[in-house]
Amino acid sequence: MAQTLAAAAHSELIIKKSRFIGCVQPMADRASAQAVVDGLRREHPGAAHVCWALLAGGQSAAVDDGEPSGTAGRPMLDVLRHQDLEGVLATVVRYFGGVKLGAGGLVRAYTDCVAQALLLADKITLQRQHTLRCQVPYALEGLLRREITAAGAELLAVEHGSLVALQWRLPETAASAMVVRLNDAGQGRIAWCEPA
C-alpha cells in the first residue's frame, strides 16, 4: 500500500569534497514542487546543481539540473518508487568540491542522499477517501454531526435550507458502514444519505 511522508526529513553527505544536501517532503503537485526547487535555488546561489524527483498523482518528474543525463533525477525517482511512496518530493542540492565522481559515483551519491533522508522520515499509509452527503431535518443535525465526529471524518460543507445538507469525507473502508448506520438511525427521517 502506498505511503507518503508526515513531514520533511533531511540528510547531508560529503563525498570527495562535494556536499550533497538532501530533503524529502510531502508534495501535492508539480507546481508546488517547482516552487520549492525555485526557493532552494535562491537559498543556495553558490550550489552547482539542484536536482529533484517528484511522485505525485501522475505528475512524476526527474530533473538532473546539469548533471550528466540519468545520474541524478532518475535515480532519485527510483528510490521513491522502490519505497512505494506517493505525493513526495526529493531534492538534493550539490556544492561541487572540485573532484569528479563519474556517472556511477553520482548515481550512488544522489540515491544515498535521498535514501538517508527517507530513513529519518515518518511515513504514513495513504487511505483512499470517500465523500458522502446527507440531507436531514434540523432535529437530526446534532445526531449526524456526532456520527461524523465519531467516525473521524472531515466535515466539508453544511447548508441550511428546508433541510440541513451536510457533506463529509472519510476513509473509503468506513463509508458504506456509515451510510447503513445513518439510514438506520434516521428511521426514515433522513431524506437521503449517499456517496457524493
Side-chain angles (χ1 to χ4, degrees):
M1 183 172 276
Q3 295 181 312
T4 193
L5 304 180
H10 303 273
S11 66
E12 186 171 330
L13 300 174
I14 306 289
I15 301 172
K16 294 186 179 179
K17 300 181 183 178
S18 280
R19 181 177 174 210
F20 295 85
I21 304 165
C23 179
V24 291
Q25 60 191 303
M27 192 63 49
D29 55 41
R30 192 175 185 131
S32 301
Q34 190 62 59
V36 169
V37 171
D38 293 344
L40 285 172
R41 289 188 207 294
R42 286 189 301 277
E43 187 180 332
H44 298 276
H49 308 280
V50 179
C51 302
W52 57 284
L54 173 71
L55 274 178
Q59 298 185 38
S60 297
V63 178
D64 293 321
D65 191 39
E67 291 284 25
S69 181
T71 61
R74 176 64 60 189
M76 293 164 61
L77 186 63
D78 289 343
V79 172
L80 299 179
R81 284 187 175 137
H82 179 72
Q83 296 212 14
D84 198 20
L85 294 170
E86 178 60 39
V88 175
L89 170 67
T91 56
V92 177
V93 175
R94 180 184 182 199
Y95 285 90
F96 183 60
V99 179
K100 291 188 177 186
L101 302 179
L106 287 172
V107 169
R108 280 189 298 280
Y110 282 101
T111 57
D112 287 352
C113 198
V114 171
Q116 286 192 17
L118 286 170
L119 287 174
L120 303 172
D122 288 329
K123 296 174 186 154
I124 51 176
T125 301
L126 289 171
Q127 289 188 350
R128 210 177 272 274
Q129 298 287 305
H130 204 72
T131 302
L132 296 175
R133 60 188 174 144
C134 198
Q135 276 192 331
V136 297
Y138 280 83
L140 293 179
E141 180 181 4
L143 167 74
L144 186 53
R145 284 179 179 264
R146 284 190 299 279
E147 286 286 338
I148 290 169
T149 300
E154 175 189 2
L155 186 60
L156 301 173
V158 178
E159 293 178 17
H160 293 92
S162 59
L163 294 171
V164 181
L166 294 97
Q167 186 171 356
W168 64 97
R169 181 174 34 232
L170 74 164
E172 188 176 71
T173 54
S176 60
M178 187 173 194
V179 168
V180 170
R181 191 170 57 252
L182 288 173
N183 285 328
D184 287 347
Q187 299 172 352
R189 294 179 293 161
I190 295 178
W192 43 263
C193 187
E194 61 188 13

